[in-house]
Amino acid sequence: MGNYILRRIGQTLIVLVCVSLVAFFLIRLAPGSPAVLLLGDGATDEQIAAKEAELGLDKPLYVQYFRYIAGVFRGDLGMSTQYRMPVSDLIANRLPNTLRLAFFTVLLGLALCIPLGIVAGSHRGTAIDFFAMFFALLGQSMATIWIAVLNVYVFSVVLGWLPAVGTGTWAHYVLPVVTLGYPLAAETTRIGRSGMIDTLNEDFITATHAKGIRPSVVHWKYAFKNAVCPVITLVGMRLGAFLAGAIVVESIYSWPGIGQLLKTSVGNRDYQLVQSLLLLSAFLFALVNLLVDIINSLIDPRIVLE
Amino acid sequence: MEQLLEIKDLRVQFKTERATSNALNGVTLSIGKGESLGLVGETGAGKTTTALSILRLLPDAARILDGSITFDGQNVFDMTGAGNDLSSRQYKKLLEKQGISETEMRKIRGNKIAMIFQNPLTALNPVFTVGEQIAMVLRVHRGMGKREAMEYAGKLLEQVGIASYRVKDYPGQFSGGMRQRVGIAAGIACNPELLIADEPTTALDVTIQAQILELMKQLQTQHKTSLLMITHNLGIISELCQKVAVMYGGQIIEYGTVDAVFRDPLHPYTRGLLGALPNLEGDRERLVAIPGKIADPQNLPNGCYFNPRCEHKCAVCESKQPEMIKISDDHFVACFQAKGGV
């Protein structure tokens, strides 16, 4: 077990190094320079060169990269050219909003999918199964952006029940969480259902029934544990993506999170901010994946054995 | 001998959208207390369906059309004359009414009747420890607490030759033979009156087979458990059982003591089965295979189900089903050709 976790941490570190390289070089491949964007179109070549020297952009790329990495290890992510403040402050400001949104989204997804998927899977072909599959089909068919717009239109514009933009109260969470959480619940319901159906067809389930165990215990205890692993894996992957900032949803609901920050920083060629945000996303994604793998290996011992 | 299990004229049909399969076509069987019966037949002859019927654990696609099962004086079900023209809701209602309640049935499963499954690699839940999979039986039927049940599970493991500290290990940490021992340990946990072993050694290699059989024999004599041994290996039957029932096309076609049936097989199919065994003594001859294919339960022939493969068939075999005739107290056969019936 300990070995397994160490190995996974090692793999995660390699991934992070790769991501930092890709993030660093990709944003520099994009046309346009932060110096030009800061100074405006009227700037002379001398002014631009001076600004680039000030930002350290005149140094060779590898020097810039190692400076950046050295900074990361000291906890210094550099200055945002666009906001003229330390990147770490910006992130500290925005990250909690994204984390809260992601947390409630996953909570909603799990709260819906676990009962719905498992019940549907163990009552195949019944009305509740039909309902669950309809619910899932709908959630998977609708694009997030469309759900978002629909939500705003119905609940904010027509009914006036919920605020459409901003943060502050609990009511502000409802629409963004539902928008992100419904497709997640749909997907996980489907996975949970099929996991349950596969498991219930296994010999060991017949064997458990043959031991005189109550069907509800067979389903919710002995089959559930088998069926839930793929659900956790999927939720982990989606959670990783939400932590990177749900760009579309954060933009529509003016949610001051990481996703919005990333969107504006790319537009402004804010090199320090972009590469730090990408690195942060990768780090959070890898962290969630690591946690998922550890949880799954606790549930299913075969993962460690293989 | 006092009867423990009685199956009377059991007919089971599997119905899917594509096909209807007549798995059991009038199976009549009984097992006395402490007796061991071998059930032989090729794959698809209905052996496993018979076993699952006894536990009332047939899959949803299966329907009991006729027949009854009594176990230890309790009515598992009596579906005599149920037929196949009921809707699935009517069928379920009838089944619930025609036997002991599901709660009563659960008290039998794993407690009075235990089953050992064919493939030890798939019969244990990979995400629970072997200890838990034995202990669950004890908690449900013996009312043991968590710790007590685990401890007892360790003792059971020792009885089947596995060190007790391994209760905490997962099935993936055991070999196939060891896993089958775990299955047996769970099977004998509550000291059942009837142990159903569904080809318990088919998935294992020969040396392990011998160990498992030795173990089962030892446990059976120790606890005086009745045994229903399902297999297609005749060697196992002669080793472990007093009586044998030969199955073909979802029917019992020959039945009697192992001694009588193996010494003087009367049904051409039984003779074929015994003729298909390799012989170590004498000249090396070609094995005699039974020609043709096993009866297809989706498309059974008219008359005797074995007639398309039978060397001795005559006109009546193609039109009428033979009835079980008594040859002696120890020997019954369903064949028109069997002379000397009483």
Side-chain angles (χ1 to χ4, degrees), chain B residues 2 5 29 47 53 61 133 144 178 186 235 271 313-315 318 321 329:
Chain B
E2 203 183 335
L5 177 81
L29 259 188
K47 300 175 308 242
S53 304
Q133 300 190 56
M144 289 188 188
M178 299 269 266
R271 277 191 219 157
K313 75 170 169 191
C314 53
E318 287 179 16
Q321 289 215 347
D329 283 343

Side-chain angles (χ1 to χ4, degrees), chain A residues 258-297:
Chain A
I258 294 289
Q260 264 204 6
L261 199 59
L262 184 63
K263 196 186 87 183
T264 52
S265 66
V266 171
N268 289 310
R269 299 289 179 276
D270 194 340
Y271 288 172
Q272 301 291 334
L273 190 52
V274 172
Q275 63 205 24
S276 295
L277 285 176
L278 290 181
L279 194 59
L280 175 76
S281 313
F283 172 73
L284 291 173
F285 197 96
L287 188 73
V288 171
N289 265 315
L290 184 66
L291 284 178
V292 163
D293 284 349
I294 291 171
I295 294 174
N296 274 346
S297 70

Side-chain angles (χ1 to χ4, degrees), chain B residues 200-214:
Chain B
T201 58
T202 305
L204 305 173
D205 65 54
V206 184
T207 45
I208 310 293
Q209 273 187 21
Q211 290 174 13
I212 296 287
L213 290 176
E214 193 50 46

Side-chain angles (χ1 to χ4, degrees), chain B residues 267-278:
Chain B
H267 198 286
Y269 178 67
T270 317
R271 277 191 219 157
L273 277 185
L274 289 165
L277 284 180

Side-chain angles (χ1 to χ4, degrees), chain B residues 118-165:
Chain B
Q118 175 171 3
N119 189 347
L121 300 183
T122 57
L124 292 175
N125 194 331
V127 304
F128 286 90
T129 62
V130 297
E132 165 65 19
Q133 300 190 56
I134 301 170
M136 62 167 117
V137 194
L138 298 164
R139 290 201 307 265
V140 168
H141 297 298
R142 289 284 142 97
M144 289 188 188
K146 258 194 172 155
R147 183 174 297 176
E148 192 188 357
M150 256 319 175
E151 243 166 58
Y152 196 78
K155 281 183 199 152
L156 286 164
L157 279 186
E158 267 174 8
Q159 272 192 48
V160 297
I162 298 174
S164 60
Y165 72 89

Side-chain angles (χ1 to χ4, degrees), chain B residues 133-280:
Chain B
Q133 300 190 56
I134 301 170
M136 62 167 117
V137 194
L138 298 164
R139 290 201 307 265
V140 168
H141 297 298
R142 289 284 142 97
M144 289 188 188
K146 258 194 172 155
R147 183 174 297 176
E148 192 188 357
M150 256 319 175
E151 243 166 58
Y152 196 78
K155 281 183 199 152
L156 286 164
L157 279 186
E158 267 174 8
Q159 272 192 48
V160 297
I162 298 174
S164 60
Y165 72 89
R166 299 206 64 183
V167 285
K168 290 199 190 79
D169 286 348
Y170 288 89
Q173 290 160 280
F174 292 85
S175 67
M178 299 269 266
R179 288 193 221 183
Q180 195 56 292
R181 285 164 189 266
V182 173
I184 293 172
I188 60 169
C190 292
N191 216 341
E193 287 168 53
L194 174 65
L195 191 61
I196 302 173
D198 185 2
E199 308 200 26
T201 58
T202 305
L204 305 173
D205 65 54
V206 184
T207 45
I208 310 293
Q209 273 187 21
Q211 290 174 13
I212 296 287
L213 290 176
E214 193 50 46
L215 176 68
M216 292 196 55
K217 197 173 181 176
Q218 187 194 324
L219 293 169
Q220 199 226 339
T221 40
Q222 252 173 37
H223 300 284
K224 300 202 170 46
T225 309
S226 300
L227 178 69
L228 175 61
M229 176 58 107
I230 297 173
T231 179
H232 47 238
N233 185 334
L234 298 164
I236 293 179
I237 304 260
S238 61
E239 185 83 7
L240 272 178
C241 303
Q242 291 130 26
K243 285 197 175 160
V244 59
V246 184
M247 243 183 143
Y248 190 85
Q251 291 178 328
I252 308 289
I253 48 118
E254 190 157 3
Y255 173 76
T257 59
V258 171
D259 225 31
V261 174
F262 281 17
R263 184 164 304 160
D264 184 23
L266 291 172
H267 198 286
Y269 178 67
T270 317
R271 277 191 219 157
L273 277 185
L274 289 165
L277 284 180
N279 196 349
L280 286 179

